[in-house]
């Protein structure tokens, strides 16, 4: 059997992007110090966190140089992610709102499955990620948003697997669409796992 014309396209794909921040050691140390001060001053809030500390309000309102540096990295990653998925709009011409929070997961702490409604992109910056050699500690898992796929699993195709989990590196930003269900495995180490999550939402530019 021969085919004269063939084509292949990927429909309804869900992008997952990873950006490694260079020279992040000083940034991480400063964020840990600032986070400790904030946790001392606030009990935090309960969201998806289980057994850990979730900062209240918008972390980008904190008056600290390290937070401003992180904001610049978050903004750059949002613009880059957007440009990689669409060439029809320059994200820099849109209004962008980014809000974030810090997660400190002690031993046993984790984040339950959830989404981030109302935003376009969600991202996570990894400030402290305890080293492990095996198991799922420190991993984030994403669940396929599509339904009616179990019968496709017999084909063992990567495009149709029901979940994807990764263990990010310190200094890395992981970006994904905010509708994607995700959760964080329990911390099985004796050290805290610290990350900063953020939501990015675009609005049309104001008319001048």
């Amino acid at each position: 059997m021969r085919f004269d014309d063939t084509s292949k396209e990927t429909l309804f794909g869900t992008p997952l992007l990873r950006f490694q921040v260079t020279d992040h050691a000083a940034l991480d140390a400063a964020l840990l110090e600032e986070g400790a001060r904030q946790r001392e001053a606030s009990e935090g809030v309960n969201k998806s966190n289980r057994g850990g500390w979730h900062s209240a309000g918008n972390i980008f309102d904190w008056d600290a140089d390290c937070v401003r540096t992180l904001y610049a990295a978050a903004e750059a990653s949002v613009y880059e992610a957007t440009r990689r998925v669409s060439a029809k709009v320059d994200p820099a011409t849109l209004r962008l709102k980014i809000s974030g929070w810090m997660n400190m997961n002690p031993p046993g702490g984790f984040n339950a499955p959830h989404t981030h409604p109302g935003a376009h992109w969600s991202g996570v910056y990894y400030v402290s990620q305890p080293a492990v050699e095996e198991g799922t500690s420190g991993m984030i898992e994403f669940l396929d948003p599509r339904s009616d796929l179990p019968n496709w699993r017999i084909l063992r195709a990567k495009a149709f697997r029901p979940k994807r989990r990764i263990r990010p590196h310190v200094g890395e930003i992981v970006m994904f669409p905010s509708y994607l269900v995700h959760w964080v495995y329990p911390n099985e180490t004796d050290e805290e796992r610290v990350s900063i999550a953020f939501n990015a939402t675009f609005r049309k530019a104001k008319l001048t």
Side-chain angles (χ1 to χ4, degrees), residues 58-183:
N58 184 358
I59 190 175
F60 296 118
D61 291 334
W62 295 1
D63 185 18
D65 288 341
C66 59
V67 173
R68 286 184 280 272
T69 298
L70 178 63
Y71 182 90
E75 182 181 56
S77 67
V78 169
Y79 284 158
E80 179 63 20
T82 305
R83 291 185 177 108
R84 291 193 187 187
V85 299
S86 175
K88 295 184 177 181
V89 62
D90 179 1
T93 65
L94 303 175
R95 289 186 291 162
L96 175 63
K97 178 182 178 180
I98 302 179
S99 59
W101 58 96
M102 178 175 280
N103 288 302
M104 293 184 173
N105 280 347
F110 68 99
N111 291 78
H114 63 286
T115 62
H116 298 177
H120 289 100
W121 291 105
S122 291
V124 187
Y125 176 75
Y126 290 84
V127 184
S128 175
Q129 177 77 298
V132 294
E133 295 183 0
E134 58 183 20
T136 56
S137 178
M139 300 189 81
I140 182 172
E141 183 170 86
F142 303 93
L143 306 182
D144 193 329
R146 298 167 297 180
S147 61
D148 197 31
L149 286 182
N151 57 315
W152 282 92
R153 295 175 190 167
I154 193 174
L155 301 183
R156 302 177 65 181
K158 182 178 180 180
F160 301 115
R161 62 186 179 188
K163 61 187 70 175
R164 171 77 167 105
R165 66 185 179 212
I166 60 175
R167 181 179 288 112
H169 306 294
V170 173
E172 186 174 36
I173 295 176
V174 176
M175 295 281 300
F176 51 94
S178 298
Y179 63 76
L180 196 59
V181 177
H182 58 285
W183 73 292

